Amino acid sequence: MITDRPLVAMEAEFGVIGALFIKPDLIETIGATLGAADFHDQDVAEIYTLILAARSAGRPADPVSIADIRHELTSGELTLVRAAEIMNSVPSAANGIEYARIVVERSKARKIAIIGQSIIDMASHARPLAGIIADAQEAVLALNSEDDEPDVITLREALGPVVDEMDARFNGEGINGHATGLKDLDELLQGLRGSHVIIIAGRPGTGKTTLGLGIAEQLTIRDGKSALVFSLEMSAKELSKRSLASSSAVTLGNIDTGQAMASGEQIVRITGAVSKMSQADLRICQKGGLPLSRIRNIARFQHKAKPLDLIVIDYIGLIAPEAGSRQQNRNLELGAISRGIKGMAKELNVPVIVLAQLNRSIETRSSKKPQMSDLRDSGEIEQDADIIMIAHRDAESDLGRSGVTEIDVVKHRHASVGHCLLQHQGEFARFVNYAGQREQQQEQEARPPAPRTSKSLLNTFNPQGGF
């Protein structure tokens, strides 16, 4: 019984080249999965590159043609001589695709060996152990995620999920993606979908954390899904206290002071909430000062252990720069972080909610209503995000003082922008649907339409025929 796996398969490498010379029609099929870097022999890798170049230029892919492109290989061997030797050693193209699979497999095995050696080397470095572990995890998980999906799919394959989604919506399965539990907000967002980055921005005290955590609670406590929250500022204890207040409808003050234990009704509420919360798959990472590479590694690990339905990062401004980063300013750093978050959402196919601060400049403007350009430090956040919503509460109005908060969706790649009102219940650390908005909508729907004037009739008249 063979237990060892050779790290190099020269016969397979020669077999691929010979098969391509004999049957050039295999070039597109093999070229979609096999790269020049997968070959161990440098001469073979260069010949493979020349075959692809000849095919791309519309020239015959044979030893004479590739020798015309490059007379001599890097090793000093004549291209024609080396290519002819390989071609003559391969009798048939029948197993070309299988040879290519073996070459890719051996290439990955060599990468694993290199990673293993690098981990051994890193272990002796005078660096924080947490950083070494993060680098090791990233290297292994990055290798594992290679080639999970094809580089190219047909339109027919791409249409499959679209048709399935339409069918699900037609059969009453609701919005696409996950619901926030807030009806008016769900109507705007049309679901939190995999690979989307959703920015929740606002000035301090507008409820960004409350909204982000509330959505995670909706998915995990009420809908039985899984979420991971990176709380870079607040401790897990503080988050769980807020979650308990939100789920039990017992005020934060009574939970903080312990006064809730003096009320039988509140004890019943807390007991019921704890029972539900203890069954929820809501995971919290409370480590502060994490760079994005570490956040991605943790998310990958957690997603592999049990698939996640949502990731929340509170907040982007607290993500640390990478060790040895050469970015010249924070704006460039946040741009790189923003692109990395989008990459993570796409890789894991999980919606990522990212909380963000707004610039203080809005406080000096006559209009205090925030805009997308008020996102702090980086305009690239605007570009990478799929959805941007800004929380705003007018502290000078009666509605604002009562907790009514405007959620302004200023960017949405897959639906119209708009706004809605939510009721912030600070004592319970939660948002709920704003009843006043429902009443306004019902009043407008019940109001008789305004009489139409002759002018309005003429403006909308669209004759079907002509004179």
Side-chain angles (χ1 to χ4, degrees):
M1 179 178 177
I2 299 174
T3 58
D4 293 336
R5 181 201 306 273
L7 297 183
V8 179
M10 289 308 304
E11 296 83 359
E13 295 192 6
F14 291 162
V16 169
I17 300 302
L20 296 181
F21 281 146
I22 297 169
K23 190 177 181 181
D25 288 346
L26 288 175
I27 292 175
E28 283 73 26
T29 302
I30 291 177
T33 59
L34 180 64
D38 292 322
F39 291 92
H40 178 264
D41 187 289
Q42 185 60 36
D43 282 354
V44 178
E46 288 186 32
I47 291 172
Y48 179 71
T49 301
L50 291 172
I51 291 173
L52 297 183
R55 185 73 165 185
S56 178
R59 302 181 62 177
D62 57 40
V64 175
S65 297
I66 67 168
D68 186 56
I69 296 174
R70 186 185 302 169
H71 178 68
E72 189 175 295
L73 300 172
T74 303
S75 65
E77 289 266 10
L78 295 177
T79 303
L80 178 58
V81 173
R82 189 78 172 107
E85 287 176 354
I86 295 174
M87 181 177 179
N88 291 333
S89 69
V90 180
S92 167
N95 298 319
I97 294 175
E98 173 63 15
Y99 294 151
R101 186 197 64 78
I102 294 172
V103 172
V104 171
E105 180 188 78
R106 296 297 194 273
S107 174
K108 286 189 174 184
R110 291 195 299 275
K111 290 176 183 177
I112 292 171
I114 292 170
I115 290 171
Q117 185 58 53
S118 69
I119 292 174
I120 293 173
D121 295 340
M122 283 191 294
S124 61
H125 291 175
R127 291 174 51 203
L129 193 58
I132 293 174
I133 294 172
D135 289 345
Q137 287 179 332
E138 182 172 15
V140 173
L141 290 171
L143 179 62
N144 188 61
S145 66
E146 286 184 3
D147 300 328
D148 284 342
E149 59 181 32
D151 294 332
V152 178
I153 62 173
T154 66
L155 180 59
R156 178 185 177 90
E157 292 169 324
L159 278 172
V162 176
V163 175
D164 291 342
E165 189 177 89
M166 284 194 299
D167 184 61
R169 294 293 299 277
F170 180 75
N171 287 293
E173 293 186 18
I175 61 175
N176 299 324
H178 305 305
T180 68
L182 299 163
K183 185 172 179 58
D184 296 313
L185 186 59
D186 283 331
E187 289 178 1
L188 280 176
L189 301 183
Q190 290 297 304
L192 306 177
R193 309 181 194 184
S195 81
H196 282 191
V197 173
I198 303 100
I199 303 293
I200 301 178
R203 294 291 297 136
T206 53
K208 300 184 300 297
T209 299
T210 300
L211 183 55
L213 181 62
I215 294 172
E217 290 170 358
Q218 170 68 29
L219 260 64
T220 57
I221 299 175
R222 298 170 185 84
D223 296 343
K225 301 185 186 299
S226 302
L228 172 61
V229 176
F230 289 93
S231 182
L232 305 181
E233 184 176 38
M234 201 175 295
S235 69
K237 178 182 177 182
E238 184 63 28
L239 283 183
S240 62
K241 188 183 296 182
R242 285 168 167 248
S243 184
L244 179 58
S246 173
S247 298
S248 66
V250 174
T251 66
L252 270 172
N254 283 351
I255 292 174
D256 253 334
T257 61
Q259 290 300 310
M261 304 307 291
S263 165
E265 180 185 350
Q266 292 185 32
I267 289 175
V268 170
R269 289 182 184 176
I270 288 175
T271 301
V274 168
S275 176
K276 291 180 181 179
M277 291 169 64
S278 63
Q279 303 299 317
D281 185 15
L282 178 54
R283 309 167 219 173
I284 301 170
C285 176
Q286 61 179 343
K287 291 181 178 292
L290 293 178
L292 183 63
S293 61
R294 187 86 186 281
I295 289 173
R296 289 185 74 162
N297 290 338
I298 293 170
R300 284 168 173 159
F301 182 81
Q302 292 293 323
H303 190 60
K304 281 189 71 67
K306 183 181 178 183
L308 294 166
D309 296 294
L310 177 71
I311 296 172
V312 179
I313 301 176
D314 184 12
Y315 63 94
I316 192 170
L318 292 178
I319 297 178
E322 299 293 337
S325 172
R326 297 182 180 180
Q327 300 288 3
Q328 296 179 349
N329 58 53
R330 185 58 174 165
N331 196 327
L332 294 176
E333 283 177 351
L334 281 178
I337 289 170
S338 176
R339 291 190 296 275
I341 291 173
K342 180 59 181 176
M344 177 178 70
K346 190 173 180 180
E347 174 191 343
L348 303 181
N349 194 29
V350 172
V352 180
I353 292 177
V354 184
L355 310 188
Q357 293 275 28
L358 295 176
N359 291 316
R360 292 184 179 275
S361 59
I362 62 174
E363 297 175 358
T364 62
R365 293 202 308 253
S366 56
S367 173
K368 297 294 191 294
K369 185 173 181 178
Q371 305 167 2
M372 185 158 51
S373 58
D374 293 321
L375 279 170
R376 179 177 290 181
D377 294 324
S378 177
E380 293 195 47
I381 298 175
E382 301 176 21
Q383 178 180 334
D384 297 320
D386 297 278
I387 298 173
I388 298 177
M389 48 182 164
I390 300 176
H392 172 62
R393 189 159 54 248
D394 186 358
E396 298 179 2
S397 70
D398 291 339
L399 285 177
R401 284 190 290 269
S402 67
V404 177
T405 304
E406 180 178 351
I407 305 298
D408 195 7
V409 178
V410 295
K411 178 183 179 181
H412 199 317
R413 290 193 196 274
H414 307 284
S416 302
V417 298
H419 71 277
C420 69
L421 299 179
L422 300 178
Q423 179 69 52
H424 182 239
Q425 297 180 336
E427 69 273 25
F428 301 129
R430 67 185 183 186
F431 279 98
V432 296
N433 295 312
Y434 174 53
Q437 184 158 292
R438 294 258 173 252
E439 293 168 1
Q440 292 171 10
Q441 290 174 348
Q442 291 170 1
E443 181 181 339
Q444 290 174 357
E445 291 170 0
R447 190 180 303 156
R452 302 181 69 184
T453 65
S454 58
K455 184 177 180 180
S456 68
L457 288 171
L458 286 173
N459 286 339
T460 57
F461 179 58
N462 185 20
Q464 299 297 314
F467 292 102

